Amino acid sequence: RSVDAVLCTEVLEHAVDPERLLAEIFRILRPGGRLCLTVPFIWGLHEVPYDFRRYTPFGLEKLVSEQGFVVERQEKLTVGAPAVLKLIDSEVNNFIINVAPAQQMTSFKLKWFQFKVLLHAKLLQILARLWTSTFRFERVYIDNLLIAYKPR
């Protein structure tokens, strides 16, 4: 009961015991204190082997409410075609940073790969504009944002 706010961003999916983590956050918050929480919904594996779960908005609200919080607001972040582009970009970056060096790609092969990535990125930007004008893709998004408070 000593802090006014807790920011917990992109952590809960790595917690071995998320209920215990949220209970501790609830304990240290003053009455009326706020929790700002983000967790991925669709995202590639990361921090392996400590990437344990993905939450839907419903599961996240249930989990937080069961610890005594009152959910004030929920929002989906990076929705639709931009989410698809972000996922592809993440996978390409993973390839460049982790896979290509392990494969000991020659300078030429890496430059050729980068050129193809640039070409695909431009094509995907065009597709994203077409998709956005036709489809909303509201069920495809990167992150959940949740703001909750500890009742007085």
Side-chain angles (χ1 to χ4, degrees):
R1 302 181 73 139
S2 60
V3 297
D4 293 321
V6 171
L7 175 63
C8 182
T9 180
E10 310 302 305
V11 172
L12 199 62
E13 72 275 12
H14 302 289
V16 173
D17 188 346
E19 292 86 357
R20 186 171 168 202
L21 174 60
L22 287 169
E24 182 62 12
I25 291 171
F26 188 85
R27 185 188 72 78
I28 66 169
L29 277 174
R30 289 187 176 117
R34 297 269 192 279
L35 166 64
C36 179
L37 176 70
T38 66
V39 293
F41 175 62
I42 299 176
W43 198 247
L45 289 174
H46 58 284
E47 302 300 324
V48 173
Y50 303 102
D51 188 5
F52 299 123
R53 62 194 61 83
R54 298 293 182 263
Y55 292 98
T56 66
F58 315 106
L60 191 57
E61 182 171 2
K62 181 179 184 303
L63 180 68
V64 168
S65 296
E66 286 174 346
Q67 298 306 316
F69 288 97
V70 175
V71 175
E72 187 174 351
R73 176 177 156 212
Q74 278 196 338
E75 189 176 325
K76 297 172 183 173
L77 304 177
T78 314
V79 180
V84 173
L85 294 177
K86 187 78 172 164
L87 288 169
I88 292 169
D89 184 55
S90 172
E91 290 305 307
V92 168
N93 284 333
N94 177 62
F95 182 87
I96 291 169
I97 293 168
N98 298 313
V99 178
Q103 291 182 353
Q104 299 178 338
M105 291 179 83
T106 64
S107 178
F108 174 78
K109 278 188 173 181
L110 189 56
K111 293 286 184 206
W112 178 242
F113 173 77
Q114 290 170 330
F115 171 76
K116 290 191 298 186
V117 166
L118 182 63
L119 184 61
H120 286 130
K122 293 299 176 192
L123 290 171
L124 285 170
Q125 287 173 351
I126 293 166
L127 280 175
R129 287 192 184 117
L130 292 171
W131 290 339
T132 303
S133 67
T134 307
F135 305 108
R136 294 194 63 163
F137 287 122
E138 292 176 356
R139 298 181 322 152
V140 177
Y141 64 96
I142 300 292
D143 282 321
N144 288 290
L145 165 69
L146 179 138
I147 298 175
Y149 64 89
K150 180 177 181 174
R152 294 190 182 271

